[in-house]
Amino acid sequence: MNISDFHGSAAALQSETNSRVLTGGTAASGVRSTPLRVDAQRNLEHVLRAAREVFGELGYGAPMEDVARRARVGVGTVYRRFPSKDVLVRRIAEEETARLTEQARTALGQEEEPWQALSRFLRTSVASGAGRLLPPQVLRVRSPEEEAEEALEARVPHQRQAGAAGTPELRVVGGRTADDEPSPDAGAGALLEVVGRLVDRAREAGELRADVTVADVLLVIATAAPALPDAAQQAAASARLLDILLEGLRSRTA
C-alpha cells in the first residue's frame, strides 16, 4: 500500500465514524443514551424514597423542596417527574395503600383464626411504618351504622340518575364510576374491602368489640407508627403501643 492509499483509507474510516455519530448509530447512542436512562431511573428512586421519608415524618403537607433536599437533587428534577405535589402525594399514597392491601390479604389467607388474622395484619403494617403514609380519605371516622350503609351502597349497582338539567349524572360505585372507568380512590376502596373482611370475621367470632369499625382499625395503624429518630426506640415504642391498642379492640367476653 502506498502513502496515498493509506491516507484514503483513513479518510474513509473517519467519514464513516462521523456519519454514525451524526445519525445516532449504535456505537454512539449506546454510549450517550444508556447512562442518561440509568441516571433518570436512579433519580426517580431517590425522589420516591425521599418522599416516603419526608411525608412519613412531616405529613403530606411537607413542601416539595424538602423532598428534593432529602433526595439530593434539584427541585426541578422532582417537578420533571411529578408536575405537581398532588401527583407525587397520590403516587406515594397509592403505593402505601397497595402495600397495606396486600398485607391484609396475606393475613386473611394465611391465618385461620379471625383474631390472629386481624392482629397479624396490624402488627405487620405497624412494623412496616405504613400508617404514617395512609391517605386521609381512609381515616375518616364512621359509626358502624354508617360503614354498613356505605358497604351496602358499594355492593348494590346504581343506575345513572338524571341531574337537574336532565343529563345523566355519574356516581362512584365500589371504586368505579358508572361508566366503568377506574376511580382515583379504587385502591383505597380495595383496602377498605379487605380490612372489612378481617373486621367482620373477628366481630362475628366474638373476639372484636361490636362498635369497632374499619376506620378504627386503620387509625390504630396510623397511631401506632410514631416517627422517632432512633430506629430501635421507634420499634419498641410501636410494639408497646400496639399491644395496648389491641387490648382495647378486643371484646371483653373474648
Side-chain angles (χ1 to χ4, degrees), residues 111-165:
E111 295 288 347
E112 294 184 3
E113 294 295 326
W115 178 255
Q116 292 301 321
L118 180 60
S119 60
R120 171 176 172 167
F121 165 63
L122 287 170
R123 292 187 186 282
T124 302
S125 300
V126 169
S128 70
R132 293 190 295 273
L133 293 169
L134 276 169
Q137 66 266 29
V138 304
L139 295 176
R140 186 168 67 85
V141 178
R142 310 168 184 82
S143 68
E145 293 77 15
E146 288 175 323
E147 282 204 346
E149 183 178 350
E150 289 185 7
L152 179 61
E153 289 180 354
R155 294 183 183 124
V156 177
H158 289 278
Q159 301 296 324
R160 292 174 183 252
Q161 295 185 349

Side-chain angles (χ1 to χ4, degrees), residues 62-99:
M64 293 281 265
E65 288 77 9
D66 285 2
V67 174
R69 278 193 292 270
R70 185 71 63 91
R72 295 184 178 180
V73 299
V75 70
T77 298
V78 179
Y79 277 109
R80 275 195 294 274
R81 300 310 301 258
F82 301 97
S84 72
K85 181 183 171 183
D86 287 343
V87 175
L88 177 57
V89 166
R90 182 174 291 276
R91 170 72 177 267
I92 298 300
E94 286 176 349
E95 289 183 352
E96 210 61 26
T97 300
R99 179 163 65 148

Side-chain angles (χ1 to χ4, degrees), residues 13 31 99 106 201:
L13 178 60
V31 173
R99 179 163 65 148
T106 298
R201 287 181 61 201

Side-chain angles (χ1 to χ4, degrees), residues 108 114-115 118 144 147-148 151 155 192-210 212-214 217:
L108 195 62
W115 178 255
L118 180 60
E147 282 204 346
R155 294 183 183 124
L192 295 174
E193 190 275 333
V194 70
V195 175
R197 290 162 62 191
L198 286 168
V199 168
D200 289 344
R201 287 181 61 201
R203 187 187 293 132
E204 290 168 2
E207 296 178 302
L208 183 69
R209 282 173 43 179
V212 172
T213 67
V214 172
V217 171

Side-chain angles (χ1 to χ4, degrees), residues 4-6 25 47 53 60 70 75 82 88 95 114 131 135 141 169 171 180 183 192 197 219 227 237:
S4 61
D5 291 340
F6 174 80
V47 168
E53 293 174 358
Y60 284 122
R70 185 71 63 91
V75 70
F82 301 97
L88 177 57
E95 289 183 352
V141 178
E169 177 186 359
R171 297 190 61 184
D180 207 34
S183 163
L192 295 174
R197 290 162 62 191
L219 279 172

